[in-house]
C-alpha cells in the first residue's frame, strides 16, 4: 500500500484507504467513521488529504444531496491490486 500512497500519509488516512478498498460500494463520511471507529473530524481531515492527493473520488449521495460518497480512484485500486498480486506471484516461483 505504501507504493500507492504518499510516504508521509498518517495512519488514519491509510485506514480510510483500507476501508474503501475492502468495500464494493462507495461510502459516506459517516459510514467510514463508523467502520474505522475514527472521529468524524479525523475522517474529514483524512478525506481532504486523500482528495488532494488524487487517491479518492467524491460524488453526490443521491438520497441526501448534503452528503458525499467516497471511493478510491481507479489508478489507486489498480495499484493496490497489483501490490496484492506481487507477493503471491513471487511465492509461486
Amino acid at each position: 500500500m505504501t507504493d500507492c500512497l504518499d510516504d508521509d500519509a498518517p495512519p488514519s488516512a491509510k485506514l480510510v484507504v483500507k476501508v474503501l478498498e475492502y468495500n464494493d460500494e462507495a461510502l459516506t463520511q459517516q459510514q467510514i467513521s463508523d467502520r474505522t471507529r475514527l472521529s468524524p473530524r479525523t475522517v474529514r481531515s483524512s478525506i481532504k488529504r486523500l482528495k488532494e492527493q488524487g487517491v479518492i473520488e467524491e460524488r453526490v449521495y443521491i438520497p441526501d444531496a448534503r452528503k458525499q460518497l467516497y471511493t478510491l480512484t481507479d489508478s489507486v485500486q489498480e495499484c493496490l491490486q497489483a501490490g496484492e498480486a506481487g507477493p503471491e506471484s513471487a511465492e509461486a516461483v
Side-chain angles (χ1 to χ4, degrees):
M1 178 163 75
T2 57
D3 297 337
C4 305
L5 294 177
D6 188 11
D7 289 337
D8 63 339
S12 57
K14 292 177 183 178
L15 182 57
V16 169
V17 169
K18 276 297 176 190
V19 166
L20 291 172
E21 178 185 3
Y22 291 125
N23 279 286
D24 295 333
E25 57 192 38
L27 299 173
T28 64
Q29 180 182 327
Q30 183 61 49
Q31 290 169 324
I32 294 169
S33 181
D34 291 344
R35 291 179 181 163
T36 60
R37 297 184 183 237
L38 295 171
S39 72
R41 182 178 181 186
T42 301
V43 171
R44 188 169 44 252
S45 173
S46 296
I47 286 171
K48 179 181 178 191
R49 180 186 191 115
L50 293 168
K51 276 180 18 185
E52 289 172 353
Q53 294 175 349
V55 175
I56 61 174
E57 296 174 337
E58 177 183 83
R59 61 178 190 234
V60 175
Y61 180 57
I62 299 299
D64 185 351
R66 296 172 295 176
K67 297 180 182 179
Q68 305 296 317
L69 287 173
Y70 300 96
T71 60
L72 296 174
T73 60
D74 292 338
S75 61
V76 171
Q77 286 180 342
E78 291 170 8
C79 178
L80 292 171
Q81 290 172 355
E84 291 174 1
E88 292 173 6
S89 61
E91 291 176 11
V93 173

